[in-house]
Amino acid sequence: MEKRVMTDSKRRKGLTVASALLGGVLVLSACSGGGDDDPKGDGDGTSQSKVDEAADQKSSEAQIKITPKDGSDNASINSAAAVTVTKGTLTSVTMKTSSGTAVAGEISADKKSWKPTSQLERATGYKIAASAKDADGRAAHENSSFTTVSPANSFIGNFTPEDGSTVGVGMPVSINFDKAITNKADVQKGITVSSSSGQEVVGHWFGANRLDFRPEEYWKGNSTVTLKLKLDGVEGASGVYGVQQKTVTFKIGRNQVSIVDAKTKTMKVTQDGKTIKTIPISAGSPENKTYQGKMVMSEKFKETRMDGATVGFTDDDGKGEYDIKDVPHAIRLSSSGTFIHGNYWGADSIFGSVNTSHGCVGLNDTKGANDPDTEGAWFYNNSIVGDVVDVRNTGDKTIAPDNGLNGWNLDWAAWKAGSAV
């Protein structure tokens, strides 16, 4: 019995020593090893601090910064993506969509920065990999992945007129947003409209989705108007951000305003205040009077279809009271269907003597729109989008200022009252 007890005691002592030795091996093998139990201490450069110091001495001094930061979402499609480097120069930058499509970009001449050369797509994942070197040629690398703002979290403004176009003196800058805007002041501050004429230009909100700009009086003829959209990152509504960064310029043509008098059944076409032509017309009938007011031409069609059913003129069978598939020389004056257009189906005798239309202003014309000698053709050929038609003495109400591009029917005080800034 005594011998067996001694054997167990020795066995336990041997296990204790083995355990201690195994523990030492585990400590020395761990990434956080060294410490007080390291028999060699720091003298031979194997401690963590010495290893880290050696790594620092061998690493590049170049510091690469990629924006947006890794993991970002709702990133801008215009200005978010960029790579810069300090204490070094860029050697390569690659950018790809998450599906692997390459995105073109350029490193600056001084090799200190990089940007993509085109606008990014919304709701798309991107990956950027950048490399640089410092003065000693040591390489540095950086990577980032991000996602651009989604259509659901962004808004854009569709604007008129087009960049580079020439328009009449009545053409406002009209911007229609694809999302309802609640932070109107912030959005309006991100948009500027100026004229080479020096005229003061003020914005006016029509509801939550439309913002128009105009001066107090018509634009000065032959001036240049500049629209700047700086909406990138502007919060238009909660969680909804702008993405546009754009400059648009357009020219104002000669000053042409045409005055329609439904009582005398004539239209005087003026340029710079002087009458250049008087044209007999036929306006809306007593049952279907033409709106009064200043109306801006928004579209021109050499020929177009006009179906009464689309604007509420229907017979008992539900079909349009009229359906003319080839109306010549039609120029739109309102969103609700007011046009000034050629008329080939009415007798020549009605023009200048009887108002017979369903609310449009009719000019004598021929079927096919190919006779340049008709009043309809002359007016069409001598008009541009943005010209003004001032309709008077119809006995009807003044057209709503947001029915088409017709904000000129608000006086200046009322117009300015609709500004958010």
Side-chain angles (χ1 to χ4, degrees):
M1 294 294 292
E2 184 66 23
K3 184 177 180 180
R4 190 180 69 233
V5 170
M6 291 297 292
T7 301
D8 289 343
S9 175
K10 288 179 181 179
R11 183 178 297 130
R12 286 194 295 271
K13 184 176 181 181
L15 289 171
T16 301
V17 172
S19 177
L21 288 173
L22 181 59
V25 172
L26 287 172
V27 169
L28 289 172
S29 300
C31 289
S32 60
D36 293 339
D37 292 333
D38 185 356
K40 295 183 180 180
D42 293 341
D44 67 349
T46 60
S47 71
Q48 187 65 49
S49 61
K50 290 295 184 181
V51 171
D52 290 345
E53 182 180 349
D56 287 341
Q57 290 174 351
K58 293 179 181 179
S59 67
S60 176
E61 291 187 352
Q63 301 291 323
I64 301 171
K65 180 181 179 181
I66 299 177
T67 56
K69 67 180 180 180
D70 191 38
S72 296
D73 56 12
N74 284 336
S76 166
I77 63 174
N78 295 291
S79 57
V83 180
T84 58
V85 64
T86 56
K87 297 183 180 180
T89 56
L90 292 172
T91 55
S92 71
V93 178
T94 59
M95 183 175 182
K96 295 181 179 180
T97 65
S98 55
S99 61
T101 303
V103 177
E106 290 183 353
I107 295 177
S108 62
D110 62 4
K111 297 184 179 180
K112 295 289 187 180
S113 63
W114 175 95
K115 284 187 177 182
T117 53
S118 60
Q119 187 182 66
L120 306 183
E121 298 294 329
R122 287 192 286 181
T124 302
Y126 289 94
K127 297 180 178 181
I128 296 178
S131 300
K133 63 181 180 180
D134 64 10
D136 293 327
R138 293 173 295 189
H141 306 279
E142 192 72 47
N143 296 274
S144 179
S145 299
F146 64 92
T147 303
T148 51
V149 64
S150 68
N153 293 104
S154 62
F155 70 89
I156 61 171
N158 297 300
F159 57 85
T160 190
E162 296 178 357
D163 188 28
S165 59
T166 298
V167 296
V169 296
M171 175 61 74
V173 172
S174 185
I175 304 170
N176 285 273
F177 299 103
D178 65 347
K179 302 281 195 312
I181 302 300
T182 56
N183 300 330
K184 291 182 177 180
D186 290 342
V187 171
Q188 190 173 335
K189 287 175 183 176
I191 303 171
T192 59
V193 181
S194 59
S195 173
S196 62
S197 66
Q199 292 172 276
E200 179 188 11
V201 184
V202 175
H204 181 99
W205 287 89
F206 292 110
N209 293 78
R210 177 176 168 184
L211 174 61
D212 284 14
F213 290 83
R214 50 157 271 214
E216 182 174 4
E217 305 293 339
Y218 299 138
W219 302 104
K220 299 296 183 184
N222 304 308
S223 59
T224 299
V225 179
T226 301
L227 162 67
K228 292 184 178 180
L229 297 169
K230 295 183 178 180
L231 297 174
D232 190 22
V234 175
E235 190 171 24
S238 180
V240 179
Y241 299 89
V243 296
Q244 289 168 297
Q245 201 80 357
K246 190 176 184 65
T247 298
V248 174
T249 60
F250 58 94
K251 299 285 187 181
I252 304 299
R254 75 285 175 273
N255 180 314
Q256 180 167 306
V257 177
S258 300
I259 301 171
V260 170
D261 188 331
K263 187 174 182 179
T264 63
K265 304 167 187 64
T266 60
M267 176 172 66
K268 292 183 178 180
V269 182
T270 70
Q271 287 189 0
D272 298 318
K274 297 179 180 179
T275 301
I276 62 170
K277 192 175 182 68
T278 299
I279 299 174
I281 61 95
S282 179
S285 68
E287 296 78 22
N288 302 296
K289 299 181 180 72
T290 305
Y291 284 130
Q292 297 190 141
K294 299 170 182 176
M295 306 184 204
V296 175
M297 299 179 184
S298 59
E299 292 181 291
K300 293 177 64 184
F301 306 97
K302 185 178 179 182
E303 290 183 281
T304 193
R305 178 186 180 187
M306 290 188 178
D307 180 359
T310 64
V311 289
F313 292 111
T314 57
D315 292 323
D316 293 338
D317 60 3
K319 294 183 179 181
E321 293 181 10
Y322 58 88
D323 187 359
I324 306 168
K325 297 179 173 62
D326 57 352
V327 177
H329 299 124
I331 303 173
R332 180 182 291 278
L333 301 179
S334 78
S335 301
S336 62
T338 308
F339 281 78
I340 183 166
H341 62 76
N343 177 337
Y344 66 78
W345 52 91
D348 292 347
S349 59
I350 67 170
F351 300 100
S353 61
V354 185
N355 290 323
T356 62
S357 82
H358 281 79
C360 292
V361 177
L363 313 178
N364 199 6
D365 212 329
T366 55
K367 188 178 178 67
N370 291 318
D371 185 350
D373 295 326
T374 63
E375 282 88 358
W378 182 93
F379 186 68
Y380 182 91
N381 292 331
N382 286 276
S383 297
I384 60 175
V385 168
D387 283 348
V388 179
V389 177
D390 187 347
V391 182
R392 304 174 181 178
N393 298 322
T394 68
D396 200 12
K397 63 182 179 182
T398 299
I399 192 167
D402 60 346
N403 185 358
L405 304 174
N406 298 324
W408 301 103
N409 295 290
L410 288 175
D411 64 31
W412 191 231
W415 183 265
K416 294 176 76 173
S419 173
V421 298

